[in-house]
């Protein structure tokens, strides 16, 4: 990855607000354009694509613009280019409203960006890429009982929060946290998506291979908003990489017949992602978020991810849980019009 100063926007990165721009077509239909900046191989990051849905949902219910919870299922691979988001009002309420949103893409979008597949058709089933249920509300109007639970990150809390002034001044001299850099891309394209964030990690080692602690901000220098949380909770699905042999001289790792070595290329697509917002970031958003990503089990090509986000004050911002697959990189780059088996996760 080419070296840049900490506040310099990396080449190819677009402002996040531009990448999630939504256009209303009618009362329940919205147009989007999935940015190439968030590609992993040939497939856009699932959390980023979910942020497009979060943005459309906020536009759809202007009196309840905040999502309290979201549940996303990734049905088919997305691609860079036009997309349509269709929202169904499941239950509208004074305090909470439930909506169902589907993001569609297909070859028809290349000639007709406003095309929507006919209901109950095979075309619609194939064009449906992401399906989500969201509970919408206005978090600024929340009122109710609050109690202190004494929650802390466990096990082994990370080092104290960094000196943000040192980080912003491009010094990278915080005594506990260092700027994370990435090796040159191996041709798979993962670094392109990673370039959308700046990561700081402990100067000491991570507490365990199955845990990732860090501070993160958007490299485009915009603040992180509630709608960006879809991407942020999914920006580090790379727990498996901590187990990778550091050189070709080391033996392959893994149990049973499935092992991987130093040069193996993996893709970690998300099957299901859930997010619960604990604290709204407000219209202005926030510059930095603390992140902990942890996996309890990696088995049979599948892993769980628990993501915890906190703000600079230590307040809990969001909780997220994921189910991810561990697939060979060829599954990402396979032709999209080959077989039914290759075209889906």
């Amino acid at each position: 990855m080419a070296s840049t100063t900490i506040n310099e926007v990396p080449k190819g990165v677009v402002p996040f607000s531009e990448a999630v721009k939504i256009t209303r077509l009618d009362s329940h239909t919205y147009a989007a354009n999935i940015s190439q900046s968030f590609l992993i191989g040939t497939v856009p990051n699932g959390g980023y694509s979910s942020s497009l849905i979060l943005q459309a949902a906020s536009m759809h219910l202007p009196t309840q613009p905040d999502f309290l919870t979201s549940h996303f299922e990734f049905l088919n691979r997305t691609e860079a280019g036009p997309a349509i988001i269709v929202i169904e009002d499941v239950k509208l309420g004074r305090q909470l409203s439930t909506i169902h949103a589907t993001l569609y893409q297909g070859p028809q979008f290349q000639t007709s960006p406003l095309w929507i597949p006919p209901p109950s058709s095979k075309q619609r089933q194939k064009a449906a890429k992401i399906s989500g249920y969201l509970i919408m509300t206005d978090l600024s109007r929340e009122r109710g009982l609050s109690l202190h639970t004494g929650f802390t990150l466990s096990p082994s809390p990370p080092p104290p929060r960094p000196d943000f002034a040192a980080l912003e001044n491009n010094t990278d001299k915080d005594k506990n946290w260092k700027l994370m850099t990435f090796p040159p891309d191996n041709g798979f394209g993962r670094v392109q998506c990673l370039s959308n964030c700046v990561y700081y990690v402990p100067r000491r080692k991570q507490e365990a291979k199955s845990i990732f602690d860090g501070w993160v901000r958007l490299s485009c220098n915009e603040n992180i908003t509630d709608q960006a949380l879809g991407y942020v909770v999914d920006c580090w699905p790379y727990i498996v990489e901590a187990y990778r042999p550091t050189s070709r001289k080391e033996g392959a790792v893994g149990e049973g017949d499935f092992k991987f070595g130093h040069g193996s290329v993996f893709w970690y697509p998300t099957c299901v992602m859930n997010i619960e917002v604990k604290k709204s970031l407000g219209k202005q958003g926030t510059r930095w978020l603390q992140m902990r990503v942890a996996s309890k089990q990696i088995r049979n090509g599948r892993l769980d991810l628990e993501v915890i986000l906190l703000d600079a004050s230590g307040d809990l911002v969001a909780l997220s849980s994921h189910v991810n697959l561990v697939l060979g990189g060829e599954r990402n780059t396979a032709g999209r019009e080959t077989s039914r088996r290759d075209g889906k996760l």
Side-chain angles (χ1 to χ4, degrees), residues 207-268:
E207 292 299 326
K209 290 183 178 180
S210 61
I211 294 176
F212 176 88
D213 280 317
W215 285 85
V216 62
R217 70 168 175 84
L218 296 176
S219 63
C220 66
N221 291 320
E222 293 184 344
N223 282 354
I224 300 171
T225 62
D226 290 344
Q227 287 71 39
L229 291 177
Y231 172 58
V232 174
V233 300
D234 197 35
C235 71
W236 194 261
Y238 304 113
I239 289 293
V240 171
E241 293 297 318
Y243 295 83
R244 180 180 295 277
T246 57
S247 71
R248 297 187 183 277
K249 295 181 180 179
E250 294 186 28
V253 299
E255 300 176 359
D257 296 330
F258 294 89
K259 300 181 184 297
F260 77 100
H262 174 71
S264 300
V265 178
F266 284 137
W267 175 39
Y268 309 105

Side-chain angles (χ1 to χ4, degrees), residues 125 146 213:
Q125 184 181 21
S146 298
D213 280 317

Side-chain angles (χ1 to χ4, degrees), residues 79 81-82 106-116:
E79 61 184 337
Q108 293 86 348
F109 283 83
Q110 303 304 320
T111 55
S112 179
L114 305 186
W115 175 81
I116 299 176

Side-chain angles (χ1 to χ4, degrees), residues 78-342:
T78 54
E79 61 184 337
I84 293 291
I85 298 169
V86 177
I87 294 179
E88 173 192 359
D89 299 325
V90 179
K91 182 181 179 182
L92 302 180
R94 288 185 298 175
Q95 184 175 357
L96 302 174
S97 293
T98 300
I99 61 174
H100 176 246
T102 306
L103 185 146
Y104 294 100
Q105 282 189 302
Q108 293 86 348
F109 283 83
Q110 303 304 320
T111 55
S112 179
L114 305 186
W115 175 81
I116 299 176
S120 302
S121 66
K122 290 185 177 180
Q123 277 186 320
R124 195 179 188 96
Q125 184 181 21
K126 188 175 182 180
K129 306 300 184 182
I130 304 174
S131 177
Y133 275 93
L134 299 87
I135 296 179
M136 305 297 293
T137 190
D138 183 348
L139 290 173
S140 68
R141 299 176 62 184
E142 271 197 320
R143 301 292 184 274
L145 177 67
S146 298
L147 298 171
H148 181 67
T149 65
F151 168 79
T152 59
L153 291 177
S154 177
S156 301
R161 64 182 61 93
D163 177 358
F164 293 109
L167 271 55
E168 295 293 351
N169 290 333
N170 295 347
T171 61
D172 193 24
K173 292 183 178 180
D174 182 86
K175 64 180 181 180
N176 295 309
W177 301 87
K178 64 179 180 179
L179 178 67
M180 187 176 191
T181 58
F182 305 104
D185 204 305
N186 59 4
F188 185 58
R190 183 180 299 138
V191 171
Q192 178 178 352
C193 186
L194 286 170
S195 298
N196 289 284
C197 284
V198 175
Y199 301 85
Y200 274 82
V201 293
R203 290 192 180 275
R204 70 190 192 198
K205 291 183 178 180
Q206 298 284 0
E207 292 299 326
K209 290 183 178 180
S210 61
I211 294 176
F212 176 88
D213 280 317
W215 285 85
V216 62
R217 70 168 175 84
L218 296 176
S219 63
C220 66
N221 291 320
E222 293 184 344
N223 282 354
I224 300 171
T225 62
D226 290 344
Q227 287 71 39
L229 291 177
Y231 172 58
V232 174
V233 300
D234 197 35
C235 71
W236 194 261
Y238 304 113
I239 289 293
V240 171
E241 293 297 318
Y243 295 83
R244 180 180 295 277
T246 57
S247 71
R248 297 187 183 277
K249 295 181 180 179
E250 294 186 28
V253 299
E255 300 176 359
D257 296 330
F258 294 89
K259 300 181 184 297
F260 77 100
H262 174 71
S264 300
V265 178
F266 284 137
W267 175 39
Y268 309 105
T270 305
C271 296
V272 177
M273 181 174 76
N274 299 289
I275 311 172
E276 178 191 357
V277 174
K278 293 292 190 179
K279 176 184 178 180
S280 174
L281 298 176
K283 291 183 178 180
Q284 298 302 316
T286 189
R287 178 74 163 171
W288 295 93
L289 284 177
Q290 185 178 5
M291 168 189 290
R292 168 165 284 191
V293 184
S295 180
K296 298 178 177 64
Q297 185 180 76
I298 305 169
R299 185 176 296 277
N300 293 328
R302 178 165 52 90
L303 71 150
D304 59 274
L305 290 177
E306 177 188 48
V307 183
I308 301 173
L309 298 181
L310 302 96
D311 63 15
S313 300
D315 290 339
L316 197 58
V317 171
L319 302 175
S320 182
S321 62
H322 306 227
V323 176
N324 287 61
L325 300 180
V326 183
L327 300 178
E330 71 279 358
R331 291 290 299 276
N332 176 292
T333 57
R336 294 180 181 270
E337 298 301 326
T338 52
S339 67
R340 179 183 178 88
R341 176 176 176 270
D342 287 338

